[in-house]
Amino acid sequence: MKERDSESFESLSQVLPNTSNSARMIQMSMANSGSAAPAPAGQDHLYRSKWLLDCPEPPSPWQELKTQVKESYLTKAKKFKSLRKQPLPKRILFILQAVFPIFGWCRNYKLTMFKNDLMAGLTLASLCIPQSIGYATLAKLDPQYGLYTSVVPPLIYALMGTSREIAIGPVAVVSLLVSSMLQKLIDPETDPLGYKKLVLTTTFFAGIFQASFGIFRLGFLVDFLSHAAIVGFMGGAAIVIGLQQLKGLLGITNFTTNTDIVSVLRAVWRSCHQQWSPHTFILGCSFLSFILITRFIGKKNKKLFWLPAIAPLISVVVSTLMVFLTKADEHGVKTVKHIKGGLNPISINDLEFNTPHLGHIAKIGLIVAIVALTEAIAVGRSFAGIKGYRLDGNKEMVAIGFMNVIGSFTSCYAATGSFSRTAVNFAAGCETAMSNIVMAVTVFVALECLTRLLYYTPIAILASIILSALPGLIDIDEAIHIWKIDKLDFLALIGAFFGVLFGSVEIGLLVAVVISFAKIILISIRPGIETLGRMPGTDTFADTDQYPMSVKTPGVLIFRVKSALLCFANASSIEERIMGWIRQEEEGDENTKSNAKRIILFVVLDMSNLINVDTSGITALVELHNNLIQNGVELVIVNPKWTVIHKLNQTKFISKIGGKVYLTIGEAVDACFGLKV
């Protein structure tokens, strides 16, 4: 050992600069201010290492949870305490504004704003009425339930929501979720009343979950579905929805209840060889082309934004007149027939809590809640960012939750924010959530007065309207962007896409969540480690692979653990890589031009990235220390986090390495130099 010391001391003393001058000046200033006693000259790093070794015990997980909860509600509690000094009317107004944001923005509401909201609301209703009828049929419900869902939920959201642009109502993906999962419990064809009760109960549970996420600040649960997973899920769901609309577009009577692409294509192929209606197909394709052409014109000329918005309504009116005048319903063209009009009927008694399927319904409600919240908050934040205001995520969850709970009491199924209708609302110049109120009132008027006129509306037109809305759900450009940026994110996207396409909606969501979790775990615990060198002319140490100009310190190998956790999954691998690197340095690297051998006296392990360490990680550190000692190398630790240093102290590991723990790599290198002096 003495020979190794004498061989390396000369080169070590030439390279290592003295980095303790600035630290000594800071410490002297602290001593002058009475903050701490000055350290003995030349032992600054030893003095500062005591800060690490003598730190208090870190808070337990239970204490951290209590602190987070207290901080979450402390601000609100202070606000309510300050209200006690205010007069009663101001207190009432403050509480009303906190629960119902409409009391805040309506105080500054002007006539010019109402004109914009009126135009936006009417434009929105012209798109919403035909889409709502179509989405209700997608959810295996009677058409009026789609219209019901476009009346009560938008009114509740206008009272409680914080987004000015979001358009509330039924959407394609949620409608597919509801029908694909609930029809496995009850067949909507044989027992439509029982199926309707399950849909309303699912909507109730979805609302309860959504409101709970907001009240208890559990919004992070929604983030388990990453952006990439949502892009893949939406794309797969759009294709599945489109294939299912072939039933209405072709006039097929018997169709599969499965949602995977193989089953749907097989059903279409069989039906094409048996019975299908050419008249229905021609009618549907004609109006689908018309809607898509108007959408293309609207994108080319922004002033004609209203044209694609009213195109579905024009299609419904014209096709209904055509069927009525030509009596096409007598020649195989299927129509909507009776739509029950009037105000939403009360449906509290239709909620099923005594059913044997209650557990399944709650599970489906949770899935619907998460998907609906993810879509609504993503849409709301997108347009809030354009307008330059902040969207309160927790209030959004509470608002969407309450609107679905109340909706389940008034014959509505799960509603959320629609991207296509929100884009129309934004383009129409909406100012506030008043556009949702205007839309809801317009749909209610249609329920009261116009439902009888929809008797001859062809089913193929509803299929065309749904098909025309699907291209907006398939974001190929975003998928390409994700591929370029992050391959693991793209894997989650592909998993969700093919899971929905070839499996089911549940399988697609499950695959997306599993891949997202696997990515988090892989990033957190992968056995990443990097060698560090000093950047020329600085006291900064950086990765030698990223910065080839960095200089390695003679006699010292500096490593940084890149993982956030040192645990059973990566501890042994990290230990083996460090020992392998030492052998490689001492034997000479065959891959470099110079095969000069280096004598390693110290291994400096930078733990600044480590958040936590388990018993397997500590065992691996002990084994690493023992192996290094056998090779005449000493282990030095740098900047361990609070929890890490506490656990290392509890296991007596710090005493085993002689207390060689330092705040910075520079101090650790200076200490190594001092030890050899």
Side-chain angles (χ1 to χ4, degrees), residues 108 138 147 157-158 194 196 212 255 275 284 308 324 336 399 429 448 645:
N108 301 318
L138 179 61
L147 297 175
Y157 181 84
K196 182 197 75 172
S212 300
F255 205 69
Q275 289 184 348
F324 175 73
V336 173
E448 286 287 350
I645 189 65

Side-chain angles (χ1 to χ4, degrees), residues 108-127:
N108 301 318
Y109 200 67
K110 299 176 182 178
L111 182 61
T112 54
M113 298 171 70
F114 177 71
K115 288 179 181 178
N116 292 333
D117 285 336
L118 178 64
M119 180 58 67
L122 293 174
T123 307
L124 202 55
S126 67
L127 175 62

Side-chain angles (χ1 to χ4, degrees), residues 2 94 105 122 159 177 191 199 224 231 251 298 300 336-337 387 398 432 509 544 666:
K2 290 181 180 178
F94 177 83
W105 57 260
L122 293 174
L159 294 173
L177 273 173
D191 188 7
V199 170
F224 283 156
V231 171
K300 288 293 183 180
V336 173
K337 296 184 179 178
K387 282 288 189 74
V398 173
T432 64
L509 286 172
T544 54

Side-chain angles (χ1 to χ4, degrees), residues 275-296:
Q275 289 184 348
W276 64 286
S277 173
H279 299 92
T280 303
F281 180 71
I282 294 170
L283 185 68
C285 287
S286 301
F287 282 98
L288 175 60
S289 302
F290 166 70
I291 295 171
L292 293 176
I293 289 170
T294 57
R295 184 165 296 174
F296 177 77

Side-chain angles (χ1 to χ4, degrees), residues 253-294:
T253 304
N254 298 318
F255 205 69
T256 181
T257 57
N258 296 329
T259 59
D260 63 284
I261 187 172
V262 177
S263 300
V264 173
L265 289 177
R266 187 185 293 121
V268 171
W269 180 256
R270 288 175 181 173
S271 299
C272 288
H273 285 76
Q274 296 172 2
Q275 289 184 348
W276 64 286
S277 173
H279 299 92
T280 303
F281 180 71
I282 294 170
L283 185 68
C285 287
S286 301
F287 282 98
L288 175 60
S289 302
F290 166 70
I291 295 171
L292 293 176
I293 289 170
T294 57

Side-chain angles (χ1 to χ4, degrees), residues 86 176 194 300 342 396 422 447 453 492 506 617 622 665:
Q86 301 293 331
L176 174 67
K300 288 293 183 180
E396 286 296 289
T422 302
L447 272 168
L453 303 178
E506 305 99 296
V622 172
I665 299 175

Side-chain angles (χ1 to χ4, degrees), residues 216-344:
F216 297 106
R217 298 181 177 272
L218 300 175
F220 64 90
L221 294 174
V222 178
D223 295 331
F224 283 156
L225 283 177
S226 64
H227 171 67
I230 288 294
V231 171
F233 174 76
M234 290 292 188
I239 294 176
V240 168
I241 293 168
L243 291 173
Q244 287 195 332
Q245 295 314 300
L246 293 176
K247 176 186 177 182
L249 198 64
L250 296 171
I252 299 172
T253 304
N254 298 318
F255 205 69
T256 181
T257 57
N258 296 329
T259 59
D260 63 284
I261 187 172
V262 177
S263 300
V264 173
L265 289 177
R266 187 185 293 121
V268 171
W269 180 256
R270 288 175 181 173
S271 299
C272 288
H273 285 76
Q274 296 172 2
Q275 289 184 348
W276 64 286
S277 173
H279 299 92
T280 303
F281 180 71
I282 294 170
L283 185 68
C285 287
S286 301
F287 282 98
L288 175 60
S289 302
F290 166 70
I291 295 171
L292 293 176
I293 289 170
T294 57
R295 184 165 296 174
F296 177 77
I297 294 171
K299 285 184 178 179
K300 288 293 183 180
N301 190 345
K302 298 298 183 182
K303 293 181 180 179
L304 297 177
F305 69 89
W306 52 269
L307 185 59
I310 66 170
L313 187 60
I314 293 173
S315 301
V316 169
V317 173
V318 174
S319 63
T320 302
L321 285 173
M322 288 175 61
V323 172
F324 175 73
L325 295 174
T326 61
K327 296 183 179 180
D329 57 319
E330 298 177 3
H331 300 281
V333 176
K334 295 184 179 181
T335 60
V336 173
K337 296 184 179 178
H338 178 67
I339 297 180
K340 184 179 178 181
L343 186 63
N344 297 37

